[in-house]
Every structure is written in C-alpha cells, then in structure tokens.
Amino acid sequence: MNEALQPATAHLDIVPDVLPEILLLAGDPDQDAPSLLANSLWIKYRKSVDWAWKVWDNTVASLRQVPIMTSDEAGRRACAVRYGVLLWHVDQHLAMGLDGEVLRWFLGPGRNEVVVLNTEAWDLLIIVLLYLSVHGALKTTTILQGMVYPAWQQAASVTINQPSPTIETFLRSANDVCRRLLLSDDINDDLPPVDLLKLQCIQTRRQDVYAQAHFSRLASSIPVLISLQNNKYISEELRRDSTSLRHLISQNQDFRQGVYRNLDAIREAFERSLRTLDTHNGTLNKHLVAGLRLLLYDINVGDELSEWPAVTSLLSPWKIAATMVQMQLILKEMGQDLLRDPTDTSAHANLDRLILMLFSHSMTSEEAFYVGEMARGVDNLVARKFVNNGLRCITERVRDSTLTIPSNSSSAFQRADTTLSTILENPAQEDFMEALSSKLVLIESSIVSTSNSDIDEILTQDMILFLRLLQFEMGFRGAWTIKLKETTDRIVSSLFKILLHISSISPTSILYPLMLDTLYYIYDEIPIDPKATPFDPFRHYPSISPADLPLVLPAEHRKQIVSLLPFLSDSCSTSNMVYSQRDTMGNIVLGLPVVNRAWEWIENLGEPAIVDTNQENKDREESARLESKYTVKNSGSLPLEVFDARLTGEGVSGTSASAHDSDHKRLGKLRNFEDCLSKENVFERDWRETRMDLEADIGHPAGRHWTEMDEETGGSSQIAPSKLLKSTPPRCSPAPSNASRSSARGSGASVRPSPQGALNRNSSSTINDILDVDSATTMTPKQPLNNKRRASTSAVASDDEIEIIAGPVPVPSQISKKPRIKPSAKGRPKRK
C-alpha cells in the first residue's frame, strides 16, 4: 500500500511553494472539485515526500484570501468546508495520513503564520480543523498541541502594556477551538458537528486527550492558564474567558477521572510551575494552590486553604492520594513564602495553623501514611517547623493522664526526612524526652509489680509506641545538652529494669527484642565526654554485676544482657598476661593482670619519622659489624618492657641486598655452628649444608681456601665464564685412602703434597685416560691411584665431612722408584 501511494524513486518530484490551483478552488462551486483536485495533485506529485505539507500550507494561505474574495459569510463557510473536503481526500492519498504533516507545520513555520491571521481567517480555519477532526483526518491532540497550548503559553508570557491585537485574536480563537473540542456537546447548524453522528465522533476523538500519553501536556497547561489569568497585560475580557475555560475543564468529569489516574503528572506540573513561573508575588502562588484544589475537589475558589476536614472526610483511596498532592503543594508554597521573607509573621501563622489542624485531626492508618508523605521534598524551613510543631503536639498527648496515644501521631512522622542535621530544636527535644521519661517510670512501676507472665495488652501497646517514638527522636542529629543527657540516663535506667523483668517473666514477649535493640541504639548514640579521665566507654551503661542478674533468665537472654554490662569476659589473648616491672635489685615484680581493652592497645604514633641517610648508613654498618644481628628499636605502640623483653644476641638472617652481593662469603659464615634464627626450613638447610654450588665447585682450584679467593676477587667468589672454560681440570688426589677428602680450608689430614702429583702437574693427561690396572698391584703406598675423583671435590668439602683414617706415611729418601712394568701386548686392551 505504501509503495502504491508513494512510489520509491531516485528522482523525486519537486513541488512548487505556490500552488495556484488550490486558491482557484475557492471559486469553484462544483461538489466534485475538491476530490478531483486532490487526485490530480497526488498523480502529479506523489513521488515527492512533502507534497501534503505544501498542500496544507497553500490551503492556510488561501483561507487568508477568502475574506477578501467574498464578503458573504455563508459563502465563506462554504469555501472553508470545500477546503476541508480537499484536505480529507488528500489524507486518503497518504500512507501515514495528514496528521503528522499538520503537526509539523504548526510546530515549525506555521507558528508565525497563525499569529498574523485576522478574525475572519480564524473563523474559516476553525471550520477546517473541526471538519478534519470529525472525519478523523486530524487528531484532537494534534490541534491542542500545535495550536491551543502555544497560544496559552504566548499569551501568559506577554510583558508589554499593549500587546499586539493578533495575539489576543490568536488566544480567543484557541479558547474557542478548545471549548468546542473538549467541552461542547451541542449540535450547530453552521459549524461542525452538524448532526448527532458528527457529535459522537467529536466525543470519541476527545478521549485521546485524557489518555496517559497526552494527559501530562494538558496537565502542564493548567498552571499556564492560571498564570495567564494573573497577567495584567492581557485584557480583562480574555482573562475572564480563560478563567471560565479553566473552571469548565477542571470540573469536567472526563478530565477529573484523568486527574485521579495521573496524580503524579498533576503534582509534577504544579511543582514545576512553582519553580519556573513568576512566583515572586504571593498572589500567583495562592491561585496555583486554589487551582490545584479545583482540579481535585468540587469546592469554591474562595475557600480557606487550610480547611482540612473538608478534604479528609472523604475516605476513598483516590481522595487520600489527592489530599497528599494538595498538601505537598501547600507546604512548598508556604516554604517559598518563608524563603522570600523569613520574618513574615502571617506565613509562620498560616503554617502553624495548618500543622496544628493536621495533627489534631483524627486519621486512619492509611491517611496517616499519606500525611507522612507530605514532608517529602519540602524546604528545610518547612520541615523544621513541621517536625518541631508535630513533636510538641505529641508531647502534649504524652503528658495526658491516659497512656493511650493514637497511632497516627507517630505514623505521620515515619516518612519525614530525618537526614537533616539540626532539624529539631533543643527545647522541643528536651520536653519530649522529659515526657517520655515520666511515662516510662509509670510503666516501669506497673510492669515490675506484675508477677503474671501475661502483660497487659494496653501496657504492651503503649510501650511499643513509646519505644518507636524514642527511636524516632534519636534519629535526629541534634546537640546533646546537659539536661538531655540526664533525661536519657533516666530513660535508659527504666528501660533496663523493664527489660530484666520482661525477660524473666515473659521471655517470648515482643517487647524484649524491641527494648534490647533500643538500648543498643541509645548506648551507641549517647556521646562520651572527651575530657573525662580516664576514658570509659561504659560510662552510661548500667552498673550491675553479672552475678546479680536473675537466675531465671534464659541462657541466650543472659548472654545478650551481659553484653550491656561494663564487665568483660576473659579473652585468650590476655588471659595469661600481667604487667611487670623491675625493682631496685633488678628482680621482676609481677603486677596487675592485663585487661582486654583493645582501645587502650591502639595508639596513633603519627607518620613514621624520616630517617637521615647518614643514620641509615650507620645502622647498616652496625648490622654488618654484628654479623646480621639487627638493632632493636623500641618504638611500638606498647613498649617491649611490658612483655619483659630482653636482648639475646640472636638475629634473623634475612635476604638483604648485601647478602646477595656476597652470597658465598655469607654462606661460609652460616656454616659455622652458631645458634641463630633463620627463615629457611629444614630442607633448605639440609641442601645448603650437604651440597655445593656448581660455580664454586668448578671455579676454586684445589688446595685453596675460600678466604684466599675472596681476597683475590674482592669479596666475590664468582669466576668469569671465559676463565672457567680455559681452566685445566685438576688431577686426582694422589692419596691412596679416603683421608684425602679433607677440606680445602685448612684441614690437617693431607699436609704433604704428593710427589706424583708434583711431577705430573703439567701433564696433559686427563681423567678420560685408561686406568692401568696391571700396575696398580705394584705401586707403593706413596704412589697415587689414578681414580676419577676430582681434586676440587676434596678442596671444597665441608669440615663435617672429614674422615681421618691415618696420618701421613713417611717415605725414606733412599728408596728409589721402581720402573713401571708394562703389560704384555696380548693382555693390553686396545683403545677405540
């Protein structure tokens, strides 16, 4: 269908701005002329996307020329109807209809076009709009949004003494259209609707205005009408006409139902008007409040603003919610009055009268909830006055002879904004706490004297109410005066006694958890005197011993109540600790046991002190001199003397940079049998003491000590890779026994060098040579075995691996060497 009505093509048709055939339609009396013209325009310009917009624009321009072309009023209306038929047929040729194009024209260039229309042109345009609305070509919401609402807004913003006559004409015509579309139920022979069917069409179309999608726009226009009727630059006649129109809309049944369905939209519209409109004068604010009341109730405008019984007598949920919306606006309006002039006595009197009337009226729980919502979002001045006056009202009721207090008194405050720091005044707070203390004393005497497990239901309800009121009052962050602290101490004492008695006679009572939570809350809120010496966080706690608690208390309740007492249970962290000191003779004298008070173990020592670089170097030198035994600095929160600490001379071997720099040197020192602490485990120590590093195993020549290598290499025993590759592997030890596996660090097991080793020191033979087995039996004890043990292994063996078998064998000088016997060629193996 869309493709047929508007074919898609790359070459769009260009519609000229002026279509003279539309103007010629005013003089063509043929009944088929509008439909033929619509068909011809669609055939010619159907490939264009804005041809309908151009047709509407030329139609409005032609309506301006019709009064000039003819003076007959009936002929003008006939021309208007003819143009309405044309536009209705154009709407049939559009896939999306004509409604969107007309709205876009009204919100665009048409805003300036309609302002310059005269009265005669407006009469013709109204006929066209009504005709299109009846036939469904234009929505009622489009006419209101594009023409009526802008007219009200423009008239309300006039700030000159003599506005343009066209503006007043525009406003008068907009009011006429609005009245005919939303309020009129009559049939007119001259203007649409002309019969009952057309009237029903109008009534059906107006239901879209009260739907949720559009109702917020209509609700936002009501404050604009109120501002318009207070605009002194508009003529008195138009102001009265606008006021009358607003009253008719407000009292319309369909509109009233839309109001109660969209109370949030009404509240937001009027609250926004208080912020954006010119509300520096109190008259406009009062008219806004009166206008809101007119939307919600069937009352007269001149009624008192604080006439509470007239609105709370209606118990319908819609009426209660509407009352909340109205009271919120009244409180915010009074807050603006106080902000403009904080010394205005009349504003203070009106607010006090409203609050007094509010809390003096009897309400249901549902009404009390909505009344509590009134304080949400109000100014600080109003909230302060609202809460303080309400608290005074509750105080007066608490002081009455009867203990029963209506529950709505506290429910009205349960939704109040308690985040304000100083919302309560000290006199009101002190009087309230004093009244609560007096009543709690009476309740204490009544409950404690009762031995029956079933507490009176009235006392239970009164106690629950008092506890809730007490928690509500403690929620405000006010100043703690001396009188308030004394009153709070009395309240805490009464609550604790009642708690003990209730826990004893009725452990399952609902009062027990509520009172326990209240006591926890009060103990946390009572401030502690910072100048008190010594510091005692249990200053306001009950001074009773755990042994004095009733024996009938349940175990769980006893544990919870003991937590409220200033007696601490034994802690495993301090159970075996006492304070100690030394007397003049140097003997340790044990003192008092250490009490588990964690707050005394914490001390703020400030930022760590900046240590000088020279001091760090001195500490490092001292640590090196003491061979990794660190200097103890007694600078903690608790002095080490408290724990009877003393220096033992032992240290913990760490992983400092110096340890990595001279690893072998430190490793040699760690091999000493010295008692010390180390971070390594038993497996690491076993590996360190029984195995050698590869570099040390290869790099140290036989018979040289670690200290000699350290002196030559400047304290480092690491050998360069180039030297390691060029070094000649040492020959095997000439010793015939295990005695040669001595330490290279000065062991006395093999002091005399081997002659065979001295003769063959520069020999080119290696350990890969074939061992001469035949000559091994003829060798003397002083002749070494050519085994495969490396000499360096014996050179680096540790002291604890030395095995001394026998001392060195003296060799006489006259003994000559025997010639080496060569084995026969038959038995000698061949080299491969």
Side-chain angles (χ1 to χ4, degrees):
M1 176 64 85
N2 295 341
E3 184 67 22
L5 293 176
Q6 185 177 1
T9 179
H11 304 284
L12 299 178
D13 296 335
I14 299 176
V15 183
D17 295 336
V18 179
L19 298 173
E21 55 266 35
I22 294 179
L23 180 60
L24 297 177
L25 180 64
D28 191 350
D30 188 4
Q31 295 182 355
D32 297 334
S35 61
L36 294 176
L37 178 59
N39 293 337
S40 63
L41 292 174
W42 172 73
I43 294 173
K44 186 183 299 185
Y45 304 113
R46 66 181 182 275
K47 296 182 181 180
S48 176
V49 295
D50 59 345
W51 74 275
W53 190 91
K54 294 289 185 65
V55 171
W56 170 263
D57 183 65
N58 281 267
T59 300
V60 175
S62 300
L63 291 176
R64 296 175 58 184
Q65 303 296 325
V66 170
I68 303 176
M69 297 169 59
T70 178
S71 60
D72 185 13
E73 186 174 356
R76 295 176 183 175
R77 292 179 179 178
C79 292
V81 172
R82 201 175 299 129
Y83 280 111
V85 175
L86 168 67
L87 295 174
W88 177 62
H89 282 284
V90 171
D91 177 74
Q92 303 300 315
H93 290 290
L94 297 175
M96 303 303 295
L98 185 64
D99 183 78
E101 302 294 334
V102 174
L103 180 60
R104 188 164 59 90
W105 183 86
F106 270 120
L107 299 179
R111 186 185 300 270
N112 299 325
E113 294 289 337
V114 296
V115 175
V116 297
L117 294 178
N118 53 22
T119 306
E120 293 79 7
W122 267 114
D123 293 340
L124 301 178
L125 182 58
I126 291 175
I127 295 175
V128 173
L129 294 175
L130 293 176
Y131 185 90
L132 295 177
S133 178
V134 168
H135 290 80
L138 286 184
K139 298 178 181 179
T140 306
T141 56
T142 299
I143 300 174
L144 294 177
Q145 184 180 354
M147 171 187 167
V148 178
Y149 299 157
W152 293 347
Q153 186 70 39
Q154 189 172 1
S157 60
V158 172
T159 57
I160 56 178
N161 293 328
Q162 295 180 355
S164 175
T166 56
I167 295 179
E168 294 186 351
T169 303
F170 183 26
L171 176 60
R172 186 179 293 104
S173 301
N175 291 343
D176 188 18
V177 171
C178 180
R179 188 178 284 105
R180 292 179 181 277
L181 290 176
L182 298 182
L183 303 173
S184 178
D185 292 332
D186 299 332
I187 297 176
N188 195 334
D189 295 336
D190 298 331
L191 298 177
V194 295
D195 52 22
L196 184 60
L197 181 61
K198 302 297 188 296
L199 179 61
Q200 291 179 349
C201 292
I202 289 289
Q203 293 175 350
T204 303
R205 304 287 188 269
R206 71 175 57 157
Q207 296 303 319
D208 296 338
V209 179
Y210 307 119
Q212 186 176 4
H214 183 82
F215 187 79
S216 59
R217 294 189 178 93
L218 179 60
S220 301
S221 300
I222 300 299
V224 177
L225 279 176
I226 297 175
S227 177
L228 190 154
Q229 75 182 45
N230 287 273
N231 191 350
K232 60 182 180 180
Y233 301 111
I234 301 297
S235 64
E236 186 68 24
E237 178 188 358
L238 286 177
R239 290 164 60 184
R240 287 196 304 266
D241 182 63
S242 301
T243 303
S244 175
L245 177 62
R246 181 176 61 84
H247 290 173
L248 292 175
I249 293 176
S250 300
Q251 296 175 355
N252 183 266
Q253 186 66 25
D254 295 335
F255 178 76
R256 183 69 58 82
Q257 292 179 359
V259 167
Y260 283 107
R261 287 195 303 264
N262 301 273
L263 284 175
D264 291 338
I266 295 294
R267 178 180 54 82
E268 293 175 0
F270 278 84
E271 289 181 357
R272 191 186 310 113
S273 64
L274 283 177
R275 297 190 301 266
T276 58
L277 296 179
D278 185 14
T279 58
H280 294 289
N281 52 355
T283 305
L284 181 55
N285 290 347
K286 289 180 174 25
H287 280 89
L288 286 173
V289 175
L292 177 61
R293 296 188 65 204
L294 186 62
L295 294 180
L296 302 175
Y297 313 106
D298 293 329
I299 58 176
N300 297 324
V301 181
D303 290 342
E304 291 289 337
L305 297 180
S306 58
E307 190 178 352
W308 175 257
V311 295
T312 56
S313 59
L314 302 175
L315 301 181
S316 172
W318 282 1
K319 295 294 182 180
I320 295 176
T323 302
M324 182 194 68
V325 174
Q326 176 197 357
M327 296 305 298
Q328 280 185 333
L329 186 65
I330 290 176
L331 290 176
K332 291 184 179 181
E333 184 268 333
M334 290 183 175
Q336 287 194 355
D337 292 341
L338 293 178
L339 287 177
R340 284 194 302 267
D341 188 7
T343 60
D344 188 2
T345 56
S346 61
H348 286 279
N350 292 334
L351 185 57
D352 292 338
R353 182 177 58 177
L354 175 63
I355 294 174
L356 180 62
M357 176 266 305
L358 176 67
F359 289 102
S360 300
H361 188 77
S362 178
M363 294 177 288
T364 63
S365 59
E366 188 177 11
E367 290 175 329
F369 174 80
Y370 283 102
V371 171
E373 289 284 346
M374 296 176 187
R376 186 182 299 274
V378 298
D379 296 331
N380 292 346
L381 294 176
V382 178
R384 182 192 301 272
K385 208 169 189 60
F386 190 89
V387 175
N388 282 283
N389 290 340
L391 197 62
R392 292 189 183 96
C393 181
I394 297 177
T395 303
E396 294 177 359
R397 296 204 173 193
V398 172
R399 289 174 179 173
D400 291 341
S401 57
T402 58
L403 294 176
T404 303
I405 300 178
S407 60
N408 54 54
S409 299
S410 60
S411 299
F413 289 102
Q414 64 182 357
R415 305 296 299 175
D417 188 4
T418 58
T419 59
L420 302 177
S421 58
T422 57
I423 193 172
L424 280 183
E425 298 176 359
N426 289 334
Q429 192 174 13
E430 293 173 356
D431 295 342
F432 176 74
M433 295 294 286
E434 186 69 29
L436 280 182
S437 176
S438 303
K439 289 303 179 181
L440 285 176
V441 171
L442 297 178
I443 295 179
E444 176 190 349
S445 61
S446 301
I447 294 181
V448 173
S449 61
T450 303
S451 59
N452 189 6
S453 60
D454 295 333
I455 304 176
D456 188 19
E457 183 67 22
I458 298 179
L459 290 178
T460 302
Q461 295 298 328
D462 291 338
M463 192 64 193
I464 292 175
L465 175 59
F466 288 146
L467 291 175
R468 289 178 177 177
L469 291 176
L470 182 60
Q471 292 180 357
F472 167 77
E473 192 278 335
M474 297 295 294
F476 294 93
R477 309 298 187 205
W480 284 83
T481 61
I482 298 177
K483 182 179 179 181
L484 187 59
K485 290 181 181 180
E486 295 175 354
T487 306
T488 306
D489 289 339
R490 294 196 299 269
I491 291 176
V492 168
S493 177
S494 299
L495 287 179
F496 186 76
K497 294 178 182 178
I498 298 174
L499 178 67
L500 288 180
H501 187 73
I502 291 178
S503 180
S504 301
I505 65 174
S506 181
T508 60
S509 176
I510 192 177
L511 290 177
Y512 174 78
L514 186 58
M515 294 180 64
L516 187 65
D517 292 341
T518 304
L519 285 175
Y520 284 150
Y521 185 70
I522 295 177
Y523 285 143
D524 291 339
E525 290 297 324
I526 297 179
I528 305 299
D529 188 7
K531 299 181 180 179
T533 305
F535 174 73
D536 186 11
F538 303 105
R539 181 181 182 86
H540 300 283
Y541 283 60
S543 58
I544 180 175
S545 175
D548 298 335
L549 296 178
L551 299 178
V552 295
L553 289 178
E556 183 180 358
H557 290 185
R558 176 180 291 274
K559 183 178 180 181
Q560 294 173 348
I561 294 176
V562 168
S563 64
L564 295 174
L565 304 180
F567 297 94
L568 303 178
S569 59
D570 295 336
S571 176
C572 59
S573 59
T574 58
S575 58
N576 298 322
M577 296 181 64
V578 296
Y579 292 98
S580 63
Q581 60 182 355
R582 293 184 179 273
D583 56 8
T584 56
M585 303 299 295
N587 299 324
I588 298 177
V589 178
L590 301 181
L592 299 176
V594 178
V595 181
N596 184 24
R597 293 183 177 180
W599 55 89
E600 295 182 357
W601 291 60
I602 301 173
E603 179 183 358
N604 184 13
L605 301 178
E607 299 295 333
I610 300 177
V611 183
D612 191 8
T613 306
N614 298 331
Q615 184 65 29
E616 291 183 354
N617 296 334
K618 292 180 181 179
D619 294 343
R620 192 180 297 108
E621 293 175 359
E622 183 68 15
S623 299
R625 185 181 64 82
L626 296 176
E627 298 181 352
S628 300
K629 294 177 176 58
Y630 304 101
T631 304
V632 178
K633 294 183 178 180
N634 190 9
S635 59
S637 298
L638 289 178
L640 297 178
E641 287 79 8
V642 175
F643 305 96
D644 195 19
R646 64 184 183 276
L647 293 175
T648 60
E650 298 178 357
V652 179
S653 59
T655 57
S656 60
S658 59
H660 293 288
D661 295 340
S662 58
D663 181 64
H664 293 291
K665 181 178 180 180
R666 291 176 56 83
L667 186 61
K669 294 179 181 180
L670 287 176
R671 291 179 183 275
N672 298 331
F673 293 97
E674 177 184 356
D675 293 334
C676 64
L677 301 177
S678 178
K679 296 180 181 179
E680 60 186 359
N681 53 35
V682 63
F683 300 103
E684 293 175 346
R685 181 165 183 174
D686 177 72
W687 181 273
R688 173 177 57 80
E689 293 181 350
T690 58
R691 291 163 177 80
M692 298 302 300
D693 293 339
L694 178 62
E695 295 181 359
D697 193 16
I698 299 176
H700 287 277
R704 300 192 65 181
H705 298 286
W706 283 94
T707 55
E708 296 177 2
M709 289 296 300
D710 292 340
E711 292 177 359
E712 293 179 3
T713 59
S716 176
S717 59
Q718 298 180 0
I719 308 299
S722 59
K723 296 181 180 181
L724 183 61
L725 296 175
K726 295 179 181 180
S727 60
T728 302
R731 296 297 302 273
C732 301
S733 172
S737 65
N738 292 334
S740 62
R741 293 189 293 110
S742 60
S743 176
R745 300 180 62 183
S747 174
S750 57
V751 179
R752 181 178 299 178
S754 173
Q756 183 72 17
L759 294 175
N760 298 333
R761 179 171 298 177
N762 297 326
S763 175
S764 60
S765 63
T766 63
I767 59 176
N768 294 324
D769 294 344
I770 302 301
L771 178 64
D772 194 350
V773 182
D774 297 335
S775 62
T777 57
T778 61
M779 293 176 62
T780 60
K782 67 178 181 179
Q783 292 177 347
L785 294 175
N786 190 12
N787 55 15
K788 294 183 179 181
R789 284 202 308 264
R790 301 174 60 88
S792 60
T793 304
S794 62
V796 297
S798 58
D799 295 340
D800 55 354
E801 297 178 353
I802 299 174
E803 297 182 9
I804 303 176
I805 304 300
V809 179
V811 181
S813 59
Q814 65 272 13
I815 298 177
S816 61
K817 296 181 181 179
K818 293 182 179 181
R820 184 177 182 179
I821 302 175
K822 296 182 180 180
S824 59
K826 183 179 180 180
R828 186 174 182 179
K830 297 181 180 181
R831 294 186 179 182
K832 294 181 180 181

